[in-house]
Amino acid sequence: MYRKSKWKCGYNLVVLGHGNNEKSVPQILIRDLKFEKKSLAKLMFSPDQENHPSKAPVKYGELIVLGYNGSLPNGDRGRRKSRFALFKRPKANGVKPSTVHIACTPQAAKIGRSTESPIDFVVTDTVPGSQSNSDTQSVQSTISRFACRIICERNPPFTARIYAAGFDSSKNIFLGEKAAKWKTSDGQMDGLTTNGVLVMHPRNGFTEDSKPGVWREISVCGNVFSLRETRSAQQRGKMVDNETNQLQDGSLIDLCGATLLWRTAEGLSRTPTVKHLEALRQEINAARPQCPVGFNTLAFPSMKRKDVVDEKQPWVYLNCGHVHGYHNWGNKEERDGKDRECPMCRSVGPYVPLWLGCEAGFYVDAGPPTHAFSPCGHVCSEKTTAYWSQIPLPHGTHTFHAACPFCAHQLAGEQGYIRLIFQGPLD
């Protein structure tokens, strides 16, 4: 058990997953900032900012949950949302290790709940393609309670570091009876959460030149280890001395049930905005793409209606990339599932509606939406589809696969994405 220092304080952020009841809600606690050197409480703004309140507070970055296209299925409410921004708090509340106790039973300590005061951010287990929060609540969560915390430096460059496990409302860290734990050479206690906190830092940052890094596991003290044989194995991996727990723009954090993308404030400043994506949508619609069969004009629906199929909605044949409106051509009863024959090239394969990727934080560039993930049909730039199609995301206890960041569906096909072929107006 770790105790919060009375002379260190910080910024709290917690992510939770759903269990079968309120008491089993798993959580991720994020604590921000190094300890305060002044005895007086620091104001939210510097003196200059106080005289000029129009100046925005310092932003460290944002956590974005993979599998949601701009918001939760039923909308973002309170602490339950698809992304969370970390800002500089009025005063620091960093923590340090203190007394270590061995609890006889888990019942001896309070179990974390989503209503507790340390919690700033709540997220359910991600179910690929879920259309409502009820889709996730029936799933037995695999995220550890108080799964992790993040500490951010108050001064530039505002370095953020991640640690496994978090503090509960009694300011203690409790690890499960079966969780791996040990004493370090300097006498400190260290350990891992039951199913682990995994981190992957992309090479070359989060840009159009990004390449996937190596997944590692982070301990309570922030040490870096190679992965265990399975997520819940009691034998920890080997320590990786030449790597740190410092997050960088584009780092992925996996909690065995939900995966988060960390974007720094600087990185977000180079990312396309929602307004830019809306301008691209209008530009595509202004080109008046047509269905080669019905000759009707196609149009992507408003980003506010990103989950509702519209009568002008573009559809695509995933094997060839030809874009059509919805029609019944080539829909033969003997064909299994959703496979259809493209009237342009006669290739047979899935036929799905196209959806614009509305979560700007997932884009690695500001390129036009010319490609779509397969089999879900989410549309974004070519380099964005190429990047996510090569990222192995943890799945279950010991497998990895690439998935669409907008809906978490496992990618299929040779590349996991296709180039879209639109037909322009005949006039």
Side-chain angles (χ1 to χ4, degrees):
M1 182 178 74
Y2 283 65
R3 186 171 296 278
K4 179 181 175 182
S5 168
K6 293 182 179 180
W7 51 272
K8 295 172 69 176
C9 37
Y11 182 97
N12 302 327
L13 175 67
V14 180
V15 179
L16 304 103
H18 268 289
N20 289 334
N21 54 59
E22 187 182 31
K23 290 187 176 181
S24 64
V25 173
Q27 311 172 27
I28 157 182
L29 169 65
I30 299 175
R31 299 225 169 232
D32 151 32
L33 321 181
K34 62 183 180 181
F35 50 88
E36 182 63 69
K37 295 181 179 179
K38 295 182 179 180
S39 57
L40 298 177
K42 181 173 287 188
L43 296 175
M44 182 67 178
F45 303 107
S46 67
D48 182 59
Q49 288 175 319
E50 189 177 14
N51 295 330
H52 302 83
S54 61
K55 290 190 175 181
V58 175
K59 183 176 182 178
Y60 298 130
E62 292 188 14
L63 287 169
I64 309 173
V65 188
L66 266 62
Y68 300 105
N69 194 16
S71 65
L72 296 180
N74 293 339
D76 293 343
R77 295 184 179 89
R79 294 178 296 182
R80 294 183 183 271
K81 55 188 71 176
S82 64
R83 62 192 298 167
F84 187 86
L86 280 72
F87 290 94
K88 190 173 186 178
R89 285 285 195 169
K91 64 176 184 177
N93 64 342
V95 293
K96 68 173 184 178
S98 183
T99 309
V100 177
H101 299 284
I102 304 298
C104 296
T105 62
Q107 290 74 19
K110 281 188 176 181
I111 301 300
R113 303 188 182 192
S114 61
T115 56
E116 289 192 3
S117 58
I119 300 172
D120 295 288
F121 185 28
V122 178
V123 65
T124 59
D125 290 60
T126 302
V127 177
S130 61
Q131 295 300 311
S132 68
N133 292 335
S134 60
D135 294 340
T136 65
Q137 294 182 7
S138 61
V139 177
Q140 176 62 49
S141 177
T142 51
I143 307 174
S144 297
R145 298 183 184 97
F146 294 105
C148 74
R149 63 196 189 278
I150 290 176
I151 297 178
C152 300
E153 296 286 344
R154 292 178 68 86
N155 300 318
F158 307 118
T159 301
R161 297 180 183 275
I162 185 169
Y163 302 81
F167 294 87
D168 61 13
S169 57
S170 61
K171 304 176 183 178
N172 297 317
I173 286 180
F174 288 89
L175 295 179
E177 182 181 357
K178 296 182 180 180
K181 55 188 84 71
W182 62 92
K183 183 172 288 188
T184 62
S185 57
D186 59 358
Q188 296 267 2
M189 285 299 297
D190 202 356
L192 307 172
T193 56
T194 302
N195 289 326
V197 175
L198 309 187
V199 173
M200 190 274 283
H201 308 298
R203 292 182 286 121
N204 303 324
F206 194 69
T207 67
E208 57 189 53
D209 298 319
S210 296
K211 299 294 181 183
V214 179
W215 283 98
R216 302 295 191 192
E217 182 163 10
I218 306 297
S219 72
V220 172
C221 291
N223 293 312
V224 182
F225 295 85
S226 60
L227 301 187
R228 290 177 269 180
E229 288 189 7
T230 62
R231 291 294 292 257
S232 59
Q234 290 190 301
Q235 180 60 44
R236 66 181 184 270
K238 295 182 179 179
M239 182 178 287
V240 184
D241 295 319
N242 62 341
E243 296 183 21
T244 72
N245 61 337
Q246 179 176 330
L247 296 176
Q248 64 185 58
D249 190 38
S251 291
L252 288 169
I253 304 168
D254 186 80
L255 306 176
C256 195
T259 305
L260 312 176
L261 172 68
W262 169 254
R263 297 302 312 272
T264 63
E266 181 183 359
L268 287 171
S269 68
R270 301 188 298 267
T271 298
T273 63
V274 174
K275 289 184 178 180
H276 176 77
L277 299 183
E278 172 62 17
L280 292 176
R281 182 189 75 87
Q282 294 182 13
E283 185 178 342
I284 292 178
N285 291 347
R288 298 172 56 209
Q290 284 191 339
C291 172
V293 173
F295 301 110
N296 52 306
T297 300
L298 307 177
F300 281 98
S302 165
M303 295 177 71
K304 294 181 179 180
R305 301 184 61 204
K306 57 182 180 291
D307 297 320
V308 180
V309 177
D310 187 86
E311 61 179 357
K312 294 184 178 181
Q313 187 102 12
W315 287 64
V316 66
Y317 290 90
L318 290 178
N319 275 6
C320 58
H322 285 112
V323 178
H324 293 246
Y326 183 78
H327 56 73
N328 288 318
W329 197 96
N331 186 15
K332 299 181 180 179
E333 294 182 357
E334 62 267 22
R335 299 199 189 282
D336 296 329
K338 297 181 180 180
D339 284 354
R340 299 274 290 272
E341 184 181 63
C342 174
M344 301 295 290
C345 63
R346 300 288 182 171
S347 65
V348 177
Y351 178 58
V352 300
L354 292 174
W355 308 96
L356 281 177
C358 300
E359 177 49 73
F362 295 149
Y363 284 70
V364 298
D365 70 340
T370 57
H371 288 65
F373 288 107
S374 175
C376 60
H378 278 106
V379 180
C380 56
S381 68
E382 177 181 8
K383 291 184 178 179
T384 298
T385 55
Y387 174 72
W388 287 104
S389 67
Q390 61 182 336
I391 298 296
L393 297 173
H395 179 72
T397 59
H398 59 274
T399 59
F400 294 79
H401 63 229
C404 170
F406 302 105
C407 67
H409 267 299
Q410 182 176 352
L411 300 185
E414 184 177 347
Q415 291 182 308
Y417 64 93
I418 57 167
R419 181 176 68 89
L420 300 177
I421 304 175
F422 288 92
Q423 176 170 302
L426 297 180
D427 55 355

